[in-house]
């Protein structure tokens, strides 16, 4: 195996995982970030995101001398005398004005490294970027001696290391075949199917995949609504659907709506991409609209359960929230559907106390503003007129529901994830209300 000199720009969920995993595969990796405190902590082996196995890999990489952290993209490129052979861009591409992907950070990094890259280097875009970004990167670099390759990342937060090292596929696209092959070779040990293609196709794979997942979730949420109206059971319906190999069981659980740092921005960016190509992608528009509606629907469920009527007032109604992160297994709050539902409840006048196993009380996050975060689920339940399960943390199943029944003012639990065993909650005296279940 060739040991490559690799620079990774951005040390978030994707960048840090990429850097630590490539170091574990034997490469020499330098990771850069603009956050000086983060760089300092990482240099000492301190990882502050919740990802199983990541801290261990970082520690191993540092100890083996294969993983280093520096401040700024320029420093990463200048880190060794020969310079990096491959530079991965893993910086944020947030939702910009009008829903387009904001590429300003990607572009600023390109500007920063442009004149420092050694001849023969490959710039790899791992950030999720719209079709045409590889071409734009080439234009911005103005370097015929440097290749640009698109290599989208598909890892899931909460299992980032596992997913990186056990990928379903590797997608690499670029106009220079040898550069694309060199990037694909970095993953050769992983034995995953590899799609070698042009850059626009590689860029589109990521959006097409994420939009499909969002569409699947919106679809199942809509089917769950139909179950509510028709008296069918969504768990049985999705089980019956999922055995069909063309459908599969994954992503068939209803919930309070999808969210997280990727699906909302990627569906919006895809819509804008289609608009710019003069194509009205109605399926994605409907996917987003169904999701917005799902959040409102959860609030209506709460309203009906607590007040006994549609349109009843939630003003000064105390509600306990179980789960605030966008899904279980992560501490990421970005675009969390739980917080979207919380914001709607707060707008309706409810007073919210929330507990999440991944959050410490007193944690600062602007999106947490509507919620008083506490350290204990039983404290979240105190005097509540309803409890709402918003994130599918498995430990909520084994809470002491008798103790919770003693803490609340009204024993009502709205289980937006269909997580709990209704029989357990009901035995403790709770009215259990799920999604698409009766
Ligand atoms: P993140 O916010 O967790 O991390 C980004 C990091 O980049 C931060 O540490 C930030 O300080 C750093 N950064 C910002 N500007 C920088 C600069 N100029 N130079 C160096 N570092 C800089 O983001 P993420 O979740 O890792 O996502 C990165 C990209 O990967 C996005 O395009 C995202 O859509 C994509 N992606 C994310 C996931 C995921 O599950 N999070 C999965 C696949 C793809």
């Amino acid at each position: 195996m060739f040991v490559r000199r690799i620079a990774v720009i951005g040390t978030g969920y994707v960048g840090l995982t990429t850097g630590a995993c490539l170091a574990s595969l034997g490469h020499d990796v330098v990771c850069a970030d603009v956050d000086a405190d983060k760089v300092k902590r990482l240099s000492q082996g301190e990882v502050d995101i919740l990802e199983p196995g990541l801290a261990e890999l970082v520690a191993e990489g540092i100890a083996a001398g294969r993983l280093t952290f520096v401040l700024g993209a320029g420093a990463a490129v200048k880190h060794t005398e020969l310079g990096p052979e491959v530079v991965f861009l893993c910086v944020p591409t947030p939702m910009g004005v009008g829903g387009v992907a904001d590429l300003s950070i990607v572009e600023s990094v390109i500007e920063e490294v442009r004149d420092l890259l050694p001849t023969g280097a490959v710039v790899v875009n791992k950030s999720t970027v719209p079709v045409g970004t590889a071409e734009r990167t080439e234009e911005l670099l103005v370097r015929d001696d440097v290749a640009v390759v698109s290599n989208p990342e598909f890892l899931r937060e909460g299992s980032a290391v596992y997913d990186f090292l056990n990928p379903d596929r590797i997608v690499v696209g670029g106009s220079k075949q040898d550069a694309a092959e060199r990037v694909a070779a970095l993953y050769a040990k992983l034995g995953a199917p590899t799609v070698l293609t042009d850059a626009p196709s590689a860029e589109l794979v990521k959006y097409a995949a994420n939009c499909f997942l969002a569409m699947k979730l919106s679809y199942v949420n809509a089917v769950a609504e139909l179950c509510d109206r028709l008296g069918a059971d969504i768990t049985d319906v999705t089980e019956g659907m999922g055995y069909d190999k063309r459908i599969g069981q994954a992503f068939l659980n209803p919930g309070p709506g999808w969210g997280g740092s990727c699906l909302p921005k990627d569906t919006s960016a895809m819509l804008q991409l289609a608009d710019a190509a003069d194509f009205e992608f109605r399926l994605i528009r409907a996917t987003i609209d169904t999701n917005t509606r799902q959040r409102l629907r959860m609030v209506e469920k709460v309203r009906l359960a607590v007040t006994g009527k549609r349109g009843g007032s939630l003003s000064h109604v105390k509600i306990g929230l179980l789960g605030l992160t966008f899904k279980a297994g992560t501490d990421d709050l970005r675009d969390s559907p739980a917080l979207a539902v919380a914001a709607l409840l707060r707008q309706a006048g409810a007073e919210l106390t929330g507990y999440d196993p991944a959050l410490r009380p007193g944690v600062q996050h602007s999106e947490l503003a509507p919620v008083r975060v506490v350290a204990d689920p039983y404290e979240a339940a105190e005097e509540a007129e309803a409890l709402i399960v918003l994130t599918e943390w498995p430990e909520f199943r084994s809470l002491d529901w008798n103790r919770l029944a003693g803490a609340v003012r009204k024993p009502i639990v709205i289980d937006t994830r269909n997580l709990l065993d209704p029989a357990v909650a009901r035995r403790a005296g709770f009215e259990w209300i799920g999604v698409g279940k009766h």
Side-chain angles (χ1 to χ4, degrees):
M1 186 200 98
F2 287 108
V3 173
R4 296 286 184 198
R5 294 183 308 281
I6 295 172
V8 177
I9 316 302
T11 59
Y13 290 90
V14 170
L16 188 57
T17 306
T18 301
C21 288
L22 288 175
S24 81
L25 293 174
H27 300 289
D28 285 328
V29 183
V30 54
C31 292
D33 206 284
V34 277
D35 181 337
D37 287 341
K38 194 173 192 177
V39 170
K40 200 167 156 197
R41 286 195 302 275
L42 285 170
S43 300
Q44 290 160 357
E46 285 172 36
V47 173
D48 50 14
I49 51 178
L50 185 67
E51 279 302 337
L54 187 55
E56 291 81 346
L57 276 194
V58 168
E60 272 170 41
I62 294 173
R66 282 198 297 268
L67 186 61
T68 324
F69 297 92
V70 296
L71 182 61
V77 175
K78 289 189 287 189
H79 187 63
T80 56
E81 205 175 314
L82 292 172
E85 293 162 278
V86 184
V87 180
F88 282 94
L89 307 186
C90 305
V91 291
T93 49
M95 197 190 296
V97 180
V100 295
D102 177 350
L103 295 179
S104 55
I105 301 178
V106 171
E107 293 185 357
S108 75
V109 170
I110 293 164
E111 175 87 3
E112 198 177 337
V113 301
R114 186 177 59 196
D115 299 329
L116 303 171
L117 292 166
T119 292
V122 185
V123 172
V124 183
N125 224 327
K126 214 176 221 333
S127 296
T128 302
V129 290
V131 175
T133 305
E135 200 184 329
R136 170 107 184 105
T137 305
E138 282 168 1
E139 284 165 16
L140 289 172
L141 279 171
V142 217
R143 290 278 306 261
D144 285 345
D145 60 336
V146 170
V148 176
V149 162
S150 164
N151 170 218
E153 180 51 55
F154 301 96
L155 63 77
R156 297 162 299 174
E157 286 179 26
S159 52
V161 169
Y162 178 85
D163 290 349
F164 191 96
L165 295 174
N166 301 274
D168 291 339
R169 78 302 211 183
I170 299 293
V171 176
V172 183
S175 55
K176 292 182 179 149
Q177 176 88 5
D178 61 323
E181 281 173 2
R182 242 181 302 151
V183 172
L186 295 174
Y187 304 97
K189 260 193 188 172
L190 306 179
T194 300
V195 180
L196 265 181
T197 179
D198 52 71
S201 305
E203 288 164 342
L204 193 54
V205 169
K206 177 64 189 177
Y207 283 108
N210 268 6
C211 289
F212 189 84
L213 293 173
M215 196 175 70
K216 203 171 175 190
L217 290 172
S218 276
Y219 181 78
V220 82
N221 283 336
V223 174
E225 177 160 2
L226 211 50
C227 287
D228 271 338
R229 288 166 189 248
L230 300 179
D233 185 302
I234 189 69
T235 309
D236 294 348
V237 171
T238 52
E239 188 187 355
M241 286 167 64
Y243 283 123
D244 187 326
K245 291 188 187 64
R246 296 167 301 177
I247 297 173
Q249 297 286 358
F251 270 62
L252 279 189
N253 296 325
W258 41 266
S261 70
C262 291
L263 297 188
K265 79 173 174 59
D266 293 351
T267 43
S268 286
M270 180 75 143
L271 259 192
Q272 299 312 315
L273 206 58
D275 264 3
D278 204 17
F279 171 54
E280 201 187 342
F281 208 147
R282 291 194 185 168
L283 210 49
I284 295 183
R285 171 88 55 206
T287 296
I288 297 170
D289 290 348
T290 303
N291 199 45
T292 306
R293 190 164 176 281
Q294 185 70 2
R295 295 162 175 195
L296 293 166
R297 209 165 84 74
M298 295 304 105
V299 174
E300 291 320 305
K301 262 184 189 286
V302 176
R303 199 188 289 282
L304 186 61
V306 172
T307 68
K309 49 182 187 270
R310 289 179 202 288
S313 171
L314 289 176
S315 182
H316 300 296
V317 168
K318 282 193 174 172
I319 295 178
L321 308 178
L322 296 177
L324 299 167
T325 55
F326 88 92
K327 66 173 186 178
T330 180
D331 52 357
D332 198 349
L333 292 166
R334 292 177 290 180
D335 260 317
S336 167
L339 294 178
V341 171
L344 289 169
L345 289 167
R346 186 73 197 105
Q347 266 170 35
E351 290 168 17
L352 309 173
T353 306
Y355 165 75
D356 189 289
L359 302 182
R360 295 176 310 277
V363 62
Q364 296 295 317
H365 193 287
S366 57
E367 287 185 70
L368 277 174
V371 186
R372 185 172 69 90
V373 179
V374 294
D376 178 293
Y378 304 99
E379 194 180 339
E382 264 167 35
E383 295 298 310
E385 295 191 43
L387 290 178
I388 315 181
V389 176
L390 286 167
T391 311
E392 73 282 26
W393 287 103
E395 47 262 67
F396 292 157
R397 276 199 204 106
S398 43
L399 290 174
D400 182 342
W401 285 89
N402 290 315
R403 189 173 159 199
L404 287 168
V408 296
R409 189 179 300 168
K410 281 187 193 166
I412 298 172
V413 57
I414 293 104
D415 184 356
T416 70
R417 301 278 188 170
N418 292 342
L419 175 80
L420 309 176
D421 180 344
V424 170
R426 283 173 181 150
R427 260 201 309 278
F430 273 91
E431 180 187 352
W432 179 88
I433 298 163
V435 176
K437 310 228 4 133
H438 44 90

